[in-house]
């Protein structure tokens, strides 16, 4: 190989080194360590932060869907002039089942026509000899609704966390079919506000008030000796601090829900108390207008509406006049609560309530200890390997050690440019990469030794050593990269960190162990006379 060709390749390698050094340090400000911290994102296990596992109660979404279907059926029967029909849930343990009873004999055909309408295609319809009907949500529709509920919950939580300015959050489905969500927030150790945003105001809806307030559940049961009607529900009410607890009887079907809100902003009433101005979507505004028109104080059936927050009555208000698509939510909020609730309404309400299954906080001291242990292990392992290579392969060991150092620089540079997150398993991936880099050099060096023992010159031995080892090195790297890619696709945060560093490290290893090492050998042999020996 000519000296000019070697000089060009050397300049290219130095250029690559400088580029990836920039990826690690960027423009140094405040010292090299601070520059590295700015450019390399640390994961939850290194930086410290919060780990939460949430469960989404997807069955609530099925109940809400059938509640809405019950309300629509009642309206459809009214439009079809079929009176005396009772529509409701037969058993709260099976929210997917709707029963229709009391259909007059002369309207059986009309009722079936309503029930077989396009709005109820997701239900199986059965009839009984007494003229009653049963609508059961199809299993495929339930599965689809549960999947959409889980996905919507993930996106809603992600939007809320993003609005709070948390960087590098990990929010994804967790477990297999358990309707669980994993939330990891690096750098967040004070969870008070995060917990409020994620959990305490998970679901908002507005319902018609059917009775109350009652001072206790017993008072409510006494006032309804026949039991709570199936289409009603008894809900605990919470108001301003110090106010006594109350219970309200509400219609189970909501008038509007959190998903119907188009915008919400915190504001203050005339007395300076925080409240929330909201705007509904067009469809929800039409429904709200129809409901409030029918129940305003000047209508034939004046009524009240209740605002539910996490299945608790937050506010009950008489309907003074019809409201179309905008209004005000008042409920004795603090300014922080008003800010957070308006944030949640802007980003969309959760389609079902959630509960915590696991919450853990990793403190900065534990993260620092993890970093220290991981870095010590990586440096110690790398030094041991480098010393071994120098002892066992003599001069060629220098070649391998330079390739290893460049490999590490390229790997960390990749992390900096791609904003990938370095985790503790990721450090394990770095160490594994170092091992595979050494393995590649050993394969090459042993093939070179074989060629030298066969009596070939140093230049020929180096050329054939790299050529014969290349196929084996390429095969092992590709299969490992494919395995790491599968880990990345299906793993969670720390597993993804391991897979990321492993893939980046192996790509760098292909470059350093084969290309850079060969250039160093060629540069060394270019200054030797024909017949010179090779230190290996």
């Amino acid at each position: 190989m000519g000296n000019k060709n070697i000089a060009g390749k050397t300049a290219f390698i130095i250029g690559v080194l400088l580029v990836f050094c920039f990826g690690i340090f960027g423009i140094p400000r405040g010292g090299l360590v601070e520059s590295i911290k700015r450019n390399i994102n640390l994961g939850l296990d290194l930086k410290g932060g919060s780990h939460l596992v949430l469960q989404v109660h997807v069955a609530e979404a099925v109940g809400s869907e059938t509640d809405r279907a019950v309300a629509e059926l009642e309206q459809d029967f009214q439009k079809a002039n079929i009176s005396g029909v009772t529509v409701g849930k037969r058993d709260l343990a099976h929210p997917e089942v709707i029963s229709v009873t009391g259909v007059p004999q002369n309207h059986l055909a009309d009722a079936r026509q309503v029930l077989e309408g396009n709005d109820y295609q997701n239900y199986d319809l059965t009839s009984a000899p007494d003229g009653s009907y049963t609508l059961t949500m199809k299993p495929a529709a339930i599965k689809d609704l549960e999947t959409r509920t889980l996905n919507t919950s993930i996106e809603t939580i992600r939007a809320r966390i993003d609005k709070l300015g948390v960087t590098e959050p990990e929010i994804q489905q967790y477990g297999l079919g358990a309707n669980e969500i994993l939330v990891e927030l690096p750098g967040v150790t004070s969870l008070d506000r995060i917990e409020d945003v994620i959990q305490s105001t998970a679901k908002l809806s507005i319902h018609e008030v059917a009775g109350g307030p009652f001072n206790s559940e017993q008072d409510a049961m006494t006032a309804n000796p026949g039991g709570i009607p199936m289409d009603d529900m008894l809900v605990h009410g919470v108001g301003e601090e110090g106010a006594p607890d109350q219970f309200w009887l509400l219609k189970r079907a909501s008038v509007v829900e959190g998903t119907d809100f188009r915008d919400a902003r915190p504001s203050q009433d005339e007395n300076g108390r925080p409240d929330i101005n909201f705007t509904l979507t067009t469809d929800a505004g039409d429904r709200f207008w129809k409901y409030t028109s029918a129940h305003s104080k000047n209508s034939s059936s004046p009524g009240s509406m209740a605002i539910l927050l996490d299945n608790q009555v937050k506010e009950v208000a008489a309907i003074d006049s019809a409201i179309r698509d905008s209004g005000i939510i008042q409920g004795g909020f603090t300014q922080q609560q008003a800010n957070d609730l308006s944030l949640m309404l802007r980003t969309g309400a959760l389609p079902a309530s959630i509960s915590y299954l696991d919450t853990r906080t990793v403190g900065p001291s534990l993260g620092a200890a993890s970093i220290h242990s991981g870095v010590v292990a990586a440096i110690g392992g790398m030094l041991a390997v480098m010393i071994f290579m120098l002892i066992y392969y003599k001069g060629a060991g220098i070649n391998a050690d330079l390739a290893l150092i460049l490999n590490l620089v390229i790997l960390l540079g990749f992390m900096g440019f791609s904003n990938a997150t370095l985790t503790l398993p990721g450090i394990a991936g770095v160490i594994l990469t170092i091992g595979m880099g050494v393995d590649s050099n050993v394969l090459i060096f042993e093939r070179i030794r074989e060629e030298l023992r066969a009596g070939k010159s140093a230049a020929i031995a180096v050329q054939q050593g790299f050529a014969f080892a290349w196929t084996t090195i390429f095969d092992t790297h590709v299969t490992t990269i494919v395995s790491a890619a599968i880990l990345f696709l299906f793993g969670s945060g720390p597993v993804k960190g391991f897979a990321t560093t492993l893939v980046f490290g192996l790509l760098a290893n292909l470059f350093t162990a084969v290309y850079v090492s060969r250039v160093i050998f060629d540069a060394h042999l270019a200054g030797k006379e024909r017949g010179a020996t090779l230190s290996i």
Side-chain angles (χ1 to χ4, degrees):
M1 187 178 293
N3 291 334
K4 186 175 181 181
N5 195 11
I6 293 175
K9 291 184 176 180
T10 303
F12 173 69
I13 293 169
I14 292 174
V16 170
L17 177 66
L18 293 176
V19 167
F20 285 102
C21 280
F22 182 78
I24 299 173
F25 301 107
I27 299 175
R29 294 194 302 270
L32 292 181
V33 174
E34 292 302 318
S35 298
I36 293 173
K37 289 181 178 178
R38 268 198 310 274
N39 286 277
I40 305 295
N41 296 319
L42 300 181
L44 182 71
D45 49 358
L46 296 180
K47 191 176 183 179
S50 302
H51 167 98
L52 307 94
V53 178
L54 316 175
Q55 181 153 51
V56 182
H57 302 287
V58 295
E60 290 182 4
V62 177
S64 297
E65 183 67 21
T66 50
D67 286 341
R68 190 175 293 111
V70 168
E72 291 177 357
L73 270 174
E74 290 175 341
Q75 293 178 4
D76 288 345
F77 281 128
Q78 288 178 2
K79 291 177 183 176
N81 294 319
I82 305 173
S83 58
V85 178
T86 300
V87 183
K89 304 286 189 67
R90 182 183 299 170
D91 183 358
L92 293 180
H94 297 281
E96 72 279 9
V97 179
I98 300 172
S99 65
V100 180
T101 59
V103 179
Q105 288 295 319
N106 59 335
H107 282 296
L108 288 175
D110 297 333
R112 176 173 282 276
Q113 186 174 4
V114 170
L115 294 169
E116 291 178 342
N118 291 331
D119 292 338
Y120 312 106
Q121 294 300 308
N122 286 333
Y123 295 85
D124 289 322
L125 176 63
T126 58
S127 59
D130 61 356
S132 63
Y133 294 92
T134 300
L135 284 172
T136 305
M137 188 179 289
K138 296 177 180 177
I142 293 176
K143 182 64 179 175
D144 178 62
L145 183 59
E146 290 178 344
T147 301
R148 284 190 285 118
T149 300
L150 185 63
N151 292 337
T152 302
S153 299
I154 291 173
E155 293 306 316
T156 302
I157 292 174
R158 188 190 307 281
R160 292 178 180 182
I161 297 297
D162 288 346
K163 292 285 184 183
L164 291 175
V166 178
T167 58
E168 295 283 322
E170 183 78 24
I171 303 166
Q172 61 183 3
Q173 187 175 354
Y174 185 71
L176 296 175
N179 300 316
E180 295 171 3
I181 298 174
L182 172 69
V183 178
E184 290 189 338
L185 308 173
V188 178
T189 55
S190 177
L191 276 176
D192 292 346
R193 192 181 180 197
I194 296 293
E195 288 178 348
D196 286 344
V197 168
I198 291 179
Q199 184 188 33
S200 64
T201 51
K203 189 178 181 184
L204 186 143
S205 56
I206 297 177
H207 295 253
E208 179 182 348
V209 176
F214 305 102
N215 292 327
S216 66
E217 292 187 58
Q218 184 60 43
D219 288 350
M221 299 304 294
T222 302
N224 295 271
I228 303 299
M230 291 295 292
D231 59 343
D232 292 347
M233 57 184 180
L234 188 63
V235 185
H236 178 229
V238 291
E240 296 184 20
E241 187 175 354
D245 288 351
Q246 293 180 323
F247 291 84
W248 297 86
L249 196 61
L250 307 180
K251 287 296 181 186
R252 192 175 295 277
S254 62
V255 181
V256 294
E257 295 188 345
T259 52
D260 295 319
F261 285 80
R262 188 171 60 191
D263 192 19
R265 300 287 170 184
S267 59
Q268 294 183 333
D269 63 13
E270 62 275 9
N271 297 315
R273 293 177 298 191
D275 56 23
I276 299 163
N277 278 297
F278 68 85
T279 305
L280 298 173
T281 62
T282 302
D283 291 342
D286 292 342
R287 292 202 309 273
F288 206 45
W289 170 263
K290 186 177 180 180
Y291 167 73
T292 53
S293 297
H295 297 285
S296 66
K297 66 180 181 182
N298 296 321
S299 67
S300 59
S301 59
S304 302
M305 60 182 181
I307 299 172
L308 261 67
L309 216 54
D310 278 349
N311 297 321
Q312 289 187 325
V313 175
K314 190 65 178 176
E315 180 73 9
V316 174
I319 304 172
D320 292 331
S321 60
I323 305 170
R324 181 171 289 281
D325 60 357
S326 62
I328 298 174
I329 299 175
Q330 296 175 318
F333 303 113
T334 64
Q335 190 61 56
Q336 186 64 66
Q337 289 172 327
N339 292 342
D340 287 347
L341 179 56
S342 58
L343 164 66
M344 283 171 254
L345 293 176
R346 286 200 306 274
T347 55
L350 290 170
S353 64
I354 57 176
S355 59
Y356 285 123
L357 296 180
D358 183 26
T359 58
R360 282 184 282 124
T361 301
V362 180
S365 58
L366 181 57
S370 300
I371 292 175
H372 178 74
S373 300
V375 169
V376 167
I379 292 177
M382 189 167 177
L383 286 176
V385 167
M386 291 173 71
I387 292 172
F388 169 80
M389 295 298 285
L390 287 173
I391 295 174
Y392 195 72
Y393 289 108
K394 302 181 178 66
I398 299 174
N399 187 335
D401 290 349
L402 290 175
L404 281 179
I405 294 171
L406 184 55
N407 190 348
L408 188 62
V409 170
I410 292 176
L411 169 58
L412 295 178
F414 263 131
M415 303 288 291
F417 281 128
S418 64
N419 287 323
T421 301
L422 182 63
T423 62
L424 189 59
I427 294 178
V430 173
I431 297 173
L432 180 58
T433 298
I434 293 172
M436 292 196 67
V438 173
D439 186 51
S440 301
N441 282 301
V442 168
L443 278 173
I444 294 169
F445 294 172
E446 290 300 323
R447 293 309 302 259
I448 292 175
R449 280 181 167 180
E450 288 180 7
E451 299 302 321
L452 290 173
R453 283 195 290 267
K456 297 180 180 175
S457 67
I460 297 298
V462 168
Q463 179 186 357
Q464 294 191 350
F466 275 93
F468 291 146
W470 163 248
T471 303
T472 304
I473 294 172
F474 183 78
D475 286 347
T476 56
H477 280 63
V478 168
T479 52
T480 309
I481 287 173
V482 170
S483 301
I486 294 173
L487 280 179
F488 183 86
L489 288 175
F490 297 101
S492 60
V495 176
K496 280 189 173 181
F498 172 78
T500 301
T501 53
L502 189 57
V503 169
F504 285 165
L506 293 176
L507 291 174
N509 191 39
L510 280 176
F511 174 71
T512 57
V514 179
Y515 184 83
V516 175
S517 183
R518 175 67 187 274
V519 171
I520 295 175
F521 269 118
D522 289 341
H524 173 71
L525 292 174
K528 301 284 185 182
E529 295 181 356
R530 184 179 295 274
T533 59
L534 190 65
S535 176
I536 186 168

